[in-house]
Amino acid sequence: MSSSTEHNRVTVPDIRARKVRDGSEPIVMVTAYDEPGARIVDGGGADLILVGDSLGNNVLGYEDTLHVTMEDMVRHTAAVSRARPRCLIVSDMPWMSYHLSLEEAALNASTLIRAGAGAVKVEGGKIRLPAVEAIIRAEIPVMGHLGLTPQSVLAMGGYRVQAKNVEAAQALMEAAEDLAGLGCFAIVLEGVPDIVAATVTDRLKIPTIGIGAGPSCDGQVLVFHDLLGLSSVKPPKFVRRYADLAGVATAAVASYAADVRAGAFPGEAESYHATAELEQALAGLSRPEPATLGGP
Ligand code: KIV
């Protein structure tokens, strides 16, 4: 595989400049959590790989993202980076990795960068501005995330569309402007009415990337398992499934099981063969006498 400079990696300034209203193509972001997934997303031509903390729901079998740790994010960020993708890798800061102190926030962000990320994503608005600022001051690029922020699931009382009234929409717009003012290079808008996302997108100089936020954002993000039909739960309304890989994979395993049970796998072509000399020597070996139970 070629080196990073050879294959023209997507950079933070590349993404920062991608406003659709200025003639840019919409940004494409997809999550990935491991090396094969990163190769697929990169090969499909995405611009960004998000090592999302949706890792918890999609790979680790948790019901939410609150159980995902720094250790999990570091391991999976490193796995994604081993694919050496052209995509810019953005890693999620997991819950409680930026909530307690500004030093801890910057240090944890640096750990994800050292694991292979090119930027980190931080959930939340006004209350998280000091943490975002501390990370940016450490020269680490930050992507914001507003609206339905899954790490706030307990406080929100479930996964609900946000910014549905004037006051909440106003607060979201202010938070987006504050994040942009601090130097975030892009903002994910999740689970908000399309018109709210369109207004934020219009007001910001940096790009917005939507998920359940309508078509007016500067880009879109989908979760790998939702896009490919690999998740076990019914996906939310905003997901479009482009394949049924779970169906294909289950049918493939069923065919393998049937072949093994019928003695049809492995065949000649799937077996290693001995030299004539070894075959002859083995033919001369007799089977051991079966053990006898009891007396004569
Ligand atoms: O963790 C994740 O997958 C995300 C996206 C839904 C934006 O944060």
Side-chain angles (χ1 to χ4, degrees):
M1 175 105 19
S2 55
S3 77
S4 59
T5 44
E6 278 162 21
H7 63 192
N8 197 19
R9 268 195 161 160
V10 178
T11 66
V12 165
D14 293 338
I15 298 299
R16 189 195 295 278
R18 293 271 295 269
K19 283 299 279 185
V20 168
R21 65 163 178 250
D22 297 335
S24 291
E25 268 199 324
I27 297 165
V28 178
M29 180 158 86
V30 182
T31 68
Y33 313 103
D34 55 20
E35 197 268 352
R39 275 193 285 114
I40 289 168
V41 173
D42 202 51
D47 302 299
L48 294 152
I49 292 175
L50 173 65
V51 190
D53 60 354
S54 53
L55 166 72
N57 317 63
N58 292 296
V59 176
L60 302 180
Y62 296 131
E63 275 185 13
D64 53 42
T65 59
L66 303 180
H67 294 82
V68 176
T69 63
M70 269 301 292
E71 203 184 354
D72 294 328
M73 292 307 299
V74 166
R75 180 175 298 114
H76 288 269
T77 297
V80 164
S81 83
R82 281 182 214 114
R84 301 177 63 76
R86 182 185 163 276
C87 291
L88 175 65
I89 300 172
V90 180
S91 281
D92 259 335
M93 300 276 299
W95 182 57
M96 292 307 282
S97 69
Y98 55 100
H99 301 66
L100 298 181
S101 82
L102 304 185
E103 288 76 20
E104 213 178 7
L107 261 179
N108 283 328
S110 75
T111 303
L112 293 174
I113 297 294
R114 286 185 174 144
V120 298
K121 178 163 76 60
V122 174
E123 289 187 10
K126 209 174 180 55
I127 197 167
R128 299 295 158 222
L129 294 177
V132 168
E133 186 175 22
I135 299 167
I136 291 177
R137 273 173 178 271
E139 311 295 346
I140 296 171
V142 176
M143 177 179 280
H145 184 160
L146 296 171
L148 194 173
T149 46
Q151 291 174 15
S152 319
V153 61
L154 301 179
M156 290 184 306
Y159 298 105
R160 300 174 200 287
V161 175
Q162 300 294 302
K164 284 193 350 187
N165 59 49
V166 177
E167 206 186 2
Q170 189 71 37
L172 185 136
M173 276 181 239
E174 280 168 18
E177 280 169 0
D178 287 343
L179 288 171
L182 284 180
C184 285
F185 70 98
I187 297 178
V188 167
L189 297 176
E190 177 168 356
V192 296
D194 49 3
I195 184 74
V196 173
T199 310
V200 173
T201 302
D202 208 38
R203 287 171 66 146
L204 293 186
K205 289 196 182 122
I206 58 168
T208 58
I209 302 178
I211 176 161
S216 302
C217 295
D218 296 298
Q220 297 292 327
V221 51
L222 275 181
V223 165
F224 186 86
H225 291 62
D226 291 343
L227 187 163
L228 295 174
L230 279 167
S231 51
S232 50
V233 293
K234 189 173 174 289
K237 164 190 163 98
F238 58 76
V239 168
R240 188 180 296 176
R241 277 196 160 156
Y242 286 85
D244 173 25
L245 290 199
V248 172
T250 305
V253 173
S255 298
Y256 162 67
D259 280 354
V260 170
R261 288 179 186 132
F265 176 84
E268 279 286 300
E270 289 135 343
S271 304
Y272 296 107
H273 300 289
T275 59
E277 187 191 1
L278 177 57
E279 267 188 32
Q280 227 173 3
L282 290 176
L285 292 179
S286 52
R287 287 190 182 177
E289 288 296 316
T292 50
L293 292 175

